[in-house]
Amino acid sequence: MRAARLIKMVLLLQSRPSMTAAALARELEVSERTVTRDAQALSEAGVPVYADRGRAGGYRLIGGYRTRLTGLARTEAEALFLSGVPGALREMGLEDAASAARLKVSAALLPSLRDASRTASQRFHLDAPSWFKEPKTPELLPVVADAVWDDRRIVARYRKGSTEVERALEPYGLVLKAGVWYLCARVPDADAPSGAGSGARSGSGVFRTYRIDRFTTVDTGDDRFTRDEEFDLPSYWDEQAERFARSILRAEVVVRLSAEGVRRLPYVVDPVSARDALSAVADTPDEHGRVTVALRVESEDVAYTQLIALGAEAEVLAPAGLRKRFADDARRLAELYEAP
């Protein structure tokens, strides 16, 4: 533990002109007294750590000293590629590995480039969760993440309706979508998509998607699986996400849209549904500049809550029950705003 801390201290001092004892203590998560003892230990070991006294003082390396202890461990290298998603790293338990990797990269850079991490973080930040939701990290996420990184098989129990189901899984990848964590896993020797997520066949099993917050237990062992190197996680996720979106669009409404309604439609309904509806439009706009589209929706109730956001830019033509609902509400609104 102390050896790792001493190495981190050297890398910190190598990547910056100097650091105060307080700053080092924060980075190393120790007391300033421990920093003083560590600096003395490094000096006795031949590392030229120099302490500047006074209010503006601090610790620095002298004589152009550079350590070559900058080789990245595999976990550090993998975490480095995720360092733009700090929240996800923290939830998967990889924050320390990413911090060590960034330090090693900074120490290996030319002095003129060592502030690259700071300047990049000043200019870009990814906030994955959606608005108005407080995401909750699944308790079993770190266990699942460890299995994903090590290609280790797991046996997971998950909630399926009012029951629990157990599955042996080969965990391939993790996806963070709008604050919700998903596991993309292969179910060996499975015959057809079922269970907690949609699936796609590959080799001797089927790939399926599981919400990790529905896992109740996850057991891991030392048994490893051979990863299908042709599996492409981003492509798989895009395909499954679109398939899922289409699967829940079980009803259809016919809508007449103004030009403004056409522009705003993808922002109020499912983007897949909007894209399909607008791409199928063959008619030219009528004399009022409106076009008629057939729109796939989850249900009439969902269609109502979505399309009402378009106001007068959308006129529902069918089904008759939904059109009547809009007409009745339009009359009530008119009466409300005409009242003295």
Side-chain angles (χ1 to χ4, degrees):
M1 180 69 178
R2 190 189 186 201
R5 189 175 71 241
L6 291 174
I7 291 173
K8 185 174 182 179
M9 184 174 179
V10 172
L11 291 174
L12 283 168
L13 294 174
Q14 185 174 308
S15 63
R16 305 174 194 182
S18 68
M19 292 185 69
T20 64
L24 282 168
R26 285 194 301 271
E27 291 281 356
L28 300 173
E29 298 181 347
V30 295
S31 66
E32 293 186 32
R33 180 170 295 182
T34 299
V35 169
T36 301
R37 287 198 298 264
D38 285 351
Q40 184 176 351
L42 287 171
S43 181
E44 292 172 354
V47 178
V49 177
Y50 181 78
D52 290 316
R53 305 298 179 185
R55 179 177 296 181
Y59 292 92
R60 59 187 175 89
L61 294 174
I62 61 175
Y65 179 85
R66 296 186 63 80
T67 177
R68 295 189 179 276
L69 297 174
T70 53
L72 290 179
R74 181 173 184 83
T75 54
E76 294 170 349
E78 290 170 337
L80 185 61
F81 286 102
L82 295 172
S83 59
V85 197
L89 282 169
R90 183 171 54 254
E91 292 175 9
M92 288 189 291
L94 294 173
E95 188 174 27
D96 289 343
S99 176
R102 286 192 293 268
L103 265 179
K104 291 180 177 181
V105 169
S106 295
L109 290 173
L110 293 172
S112 60
L113 299 177
R114 285 180 191 160
D115 66 342
S117 173
R118 179 182 60 82
T119 56
S121 64
Q122 288 177 334
R123 290 163 173 79
F124 175 76
H125 174 69
L126 176 63
D127 184 9
S130 58
W131 287 104
F132 313 119
K133 288 185 179 180
E134 186 64 35
K136 183 178 179 181
T137 304
E139 182 180 346
L140 295 172
L141 176 60
V143 178
V144 176
D146 284 344
V148 169
W149 293 118
D150 292 341
D151 293 341
R152 281 185 285 122
R153 290 187 175 92
I154 63 174
V155 176
R157 291 186 64 82
Y158 63 88
R159 294 186 300 274
K160 183 183 178 185
S162 59
T163 63
E164 284 192 5
V165 180
E166 184 175 285
R167 287 284 186 272
L169 303 174
E170 295 176 350
Y172 266 66
L174 296 167
V175 175
L176 177 59
K177 170 71 171 180
V180 179
W181 283 95
Y182 295 87
L183 171 67
C184 301
R186 184 166 62 182
V187 185
D189 303 319
D191 294 326
S194 63
S198 56
R201 172 159 293 283
S202 175
S204 59
V206 169
F207 283 105
R208 292 179 184 155
T209 305
Y210 300 84
R211 277 186 62 145
I212 296 179
D213 59 7
R214 292 180 183 170
F215 286 174
T216 57
T217 63
V218 175
D219 296 324
T220 61
D222 296 327
D223 188 20
R224 285 180 164 79
F225 63 91
T226 301
R227 179 175 287 267
D228 181 355
E229 296 301 330
E230 294 185 0
F231 177 77
D232 185 305
L233 180 60
S235 297
Y236 167 82
W237 177 258
D238 288 344
E239 178 184 339
Q240 296 307 308
E242 183 161 335
R243 180 180 298 179
F244 172 75
R246 293 183 189 281
S247 71
I248 64 174
L249 303 176
R250 302 185 180 93
E252 183 179 274
V253 298
V254 180
V255 186
R256 184 181 290 131
L257 298 169
S258 68
E260 178 63 12
V262 168
R263 186 188 70 81
R264 289 165 50 188
L265 186 67
Y267 300 100
V268 299
V269 303
D270 183 90
V272 173
S273 175
R275 184 173 68 244
D276 289 349
L278 296 176
S279 65
V281 173
D283 299 335
T284 57
D286 61 19
E287 65 273 18
H288 302 292
R290 294 178 173 251
V291 295
T292 301
V293 301
L295 187 68
R296 301 292 298 175
V297 294
E298 192 172 341
S299 67
E300 288 189 23
D301 284 341
V302 171
Y304 175 80
T305 59
Q306 292 174 334
L307 294 175
I308 200 170
L310 295 179
E313 307 302 331
E315 177 191 359
V316 174
L317 303 179
L322 185 59
R323 178 179 174 85
K324 183 177 184 302
R325 185 174 177 181
F326 272 95
D328 290 344
D329 279 356
R331 280 191 290 271
R332 289 172 56 204
L333 277 172
E335 291 171 0
L336 179 65
Y337 282 96
E338 287 174 357

